[in-house]
Every structure is written in structure tokens, then in C-alpha cells.
Amino acid sequence: MPFLYDESNIEDPDDDTELPPPRADQFVYMTADEYLGQPATGNFSILPITPLPPVQVEPRSMLDRVRSFIGLSGSPRDQNQWLEESMRKQLEHEQRSRQLLFSITVPALRDLGVRRVYCRFDGGNDEGFSWLDHYETREGNRIDVEALATQLHDTGLYDKLEVAGLKDEMRTLANNAGKSDASDSRKAALKTLLRERLVEEWAWVMLGGFGGGEYKMYGAFTVDLEECTVTDDPHAAPVVQNIEIAN
């Protein structure tokens, strides 16, 4: 779980200067029970599921949209029910997307000899960030992400994810890569998938969201692709990207 630096009882200086960044020894490790009230290991499934159906958007007139926005369409109870249903559908869609991503990508990584992934996270207050440290084999050898993305591309992983219902997401990743060649843009999309998208989902499995509070935090976790587990590292080094820790 995260190492936390509590800022709730720290007052800002009277001269409007910024507080110095905390030292690593001022962070306190929080156990999973203290932070989440649950074990320090999260589980994910790679069981196949049916492809995602197209997102259904309820047709509404511009006037209805404006009325809904300013609260004039329907009773408060109807509006709350509509909002709750929309949130439920969004959550369900995200869960199915996560399951699809794991069920297709993890077996492909296993086939290429990947067994573990080490990831880090940091943040503060209402913001949390996660990123890849490295992929490795069963023997502990690190795997180059660029080469891994190329290998996954050659197995047809990009097309498999599109067919499964993640077409919009994959094409967004490819377009953001800024490559003129279609093959290069797909490889770049898979590289982003490896470095960011999968890590974000594993962080969700581990933490269930970063929550909020007056603190700074950092931590790390290991993903076991054979056991399909995400396990907290209680000895994570104070490696950060989005907060500052004093030497």
C-alpha cells in the first residue's frame, strides 16, 4: 500500500512561501488493512467474455439536453434515477472493457515469456498517477517494451483488441502516436497500452482508485501474470514522478 505523508495538520507559512518537500523518512507505510480494509493482494480474471456491444446513446433533442442540463426535464426523482442508471451502465462498460483487455492481452504476454510486471504510483490529495517500471521473464530478466510491442503487433494483438470491441480506444491510441505509417502507429499504440493503459487497470485492481485526502503518497506493486494477482510492495523505494521528495 502507499507510503503516506500526512499534510492535514501542517499550516502554510505566513509569508506565502511554499513548504519544502517532505523527506522520504517522513512518509509512513500504510498496510492494506489500514488503507483499504482488505488484503494486500488483488486478483483479476482472464476468462474470455463476449465482445463489447456498441455503446447505445439514447436519442434526445437539443431542447431536452438543455432542459436536462439546467434541471428542467422531469422530476428530481426521475433525474436521479436517470443519473444512477447512466453511472451504472458506465461502470459496467468499464468493467467489461477491463475484463476484455486482460483476457486478450495477458495470454499474449504469457506466450512471449512475460511473467511479471513491476509498476509504481504516486500522487497527492485527489490525484493519483501510475506508471510502468518494467516487464520481466520468470527468471527475472527485464524485457524491452519497444521490442515487446513489436512482437505483440506481429501476433495480431492490435486487430484482436479491435474485433473484441475496443476499436475506438485502440484507434485513439494509434492516432495519438503521430506516426504516418499505419504499422508504426499500431506498434506505438501497443507500446502505450503496455506502458500506461494496462498499468492503470492493474493499479485499479490494487487500489480501487486513489481516493482523496490531505496527503502525498508513493508506492509500487508487482503483477503476476501466471497467478493473475497484483501484490503491494511494502519495501518500495521512494521513486516518484508527480510529487517531490527531498534528498
Side-chain angles (χ1 to χ4, degrees):
M1 288 299 104
F3 288 78
L4 294 183
Y5 173 69
D6 188 358
E7 298 177 312
S8 60
N9 296 319
I10 298 177
E11 297 183 2
D12 293 329
D14 294 332
D15 58 2
D16 294 330
T17 59
E18 293 187 3
L19 289 167
R23 303 184 310 273
D25 62 8
Q26 292 179 291
F27 284 77
V28 177
Y29 178 72
M30 301 287 290
T31 66
D33 186 59
E34 290 172 325
Y35 188 69
L36 296 176
Q38 64 185 41
T41 298
N43 299 280
F44 60 93
S45 171
I46 61 170
L47 292 176
I49 63 173
T50 56
L52 284 174
V55 177
Q56 299 295 326
V57 179
E58 180 183 353
R60 306 172 73 194
S61 69
M62 181 59 71
L63 181 58
D64 284 340
R65 294 176 187 176
V66 172
R67 284 177 172 173
S68 178
F69 180 76
I70 63 177
L72 297 178
S73 179
S75 67
R77 180 178 178 181
D78 291 339
Q79 292 177 33
N80 288 335
Q81 289 178 341
W82 178 84
L83 180 59
E84 289 175 0
E85 179 67 11
S86 297
M87 293 177 66
R88 185 191 66 78
K89 289 181 178 179
Q90 178 64 26
L91 180 59
E92 183 180 278
H93 183 80
E94 291 175 358
Q95 291 172 334
R96 286 179 58 81
S97 296
R98 183 180 302 113
Q99 178 66 24
L100 269 177
L101 187 63
F102 288 156
S103 67
I104 296 172
T105 306
V106 171
L109 288 168
R110 285 177 175 177
D111 289 343
L112 295 176
V114 185
R115 288 298 179 268
R116 287 181 295 275
V117 194
Y118 192 70
C119 308
R120 298 185 183 277
F121 62 88
D122 66 13
N125 299 304
D126 294 326
E127 291 188 303
F129 308 89
S130 57
W131 68 93
L132 172 71
D133 191 275
H134 64 271
Y135 287 85
E136 62 182 47
T137 65
R138 183 183 287 114
E139 296 72 28
N141 299 318
R142 297 194 179 191
I143 302 173
D144 179 72
V145 176
E146 191 90 36
L148 187 57
T150 298
Q151 289 178 295
L152 289 171
H153 175 267
D154 293 343
T155 68
L157 179 65
Y158 185 99
D159 293 327
K160 292 175 184 177
L161 291 169
E162 277 202 343
V163 171
L166 299 174
K167 179 183 293 186
D168 290 342
E169 179 172 350
M170 296 309 298
R171 292 191 175 181
T172 297
L173 293 178
N175 291 335
N176 290 342
K179 304 287 186 179
S180 57
D181 182 85
S183 178
D184 288 343
S185 67
R186 290 184 170 204
K187 291 177 186 177
L190 290 173
K191 183 179 177 181
T192 302
L193 187 80
L194 292 170
R195 296 183 63 87
E196 300 176 14
R197 183 70 172 85
L198 280 169
V199 175
E200 291 171 358
E201 295 296 356
W202 284 320
W204 186 92
V205 172
M206 180 77 266
L207 298 166
F210 289 96
E214 295 181 78
Y215 57 76
K216 287 183 171 63
M217 68 174 181
Y218 74 86
F221 55 86
T222 298
V223 183
D224 188 319
L225 299 186
E226 292 184 307
E227 299 296 330
C228 294
T229 58
V230 185
T231 305
D232 168 51
D233 180 2
H235 306 292
V239 177
V240 297
Q241 291 187 352
N242 306 282
I243 64 172
E244 188 177 356
I245 297 180
N247 295 324

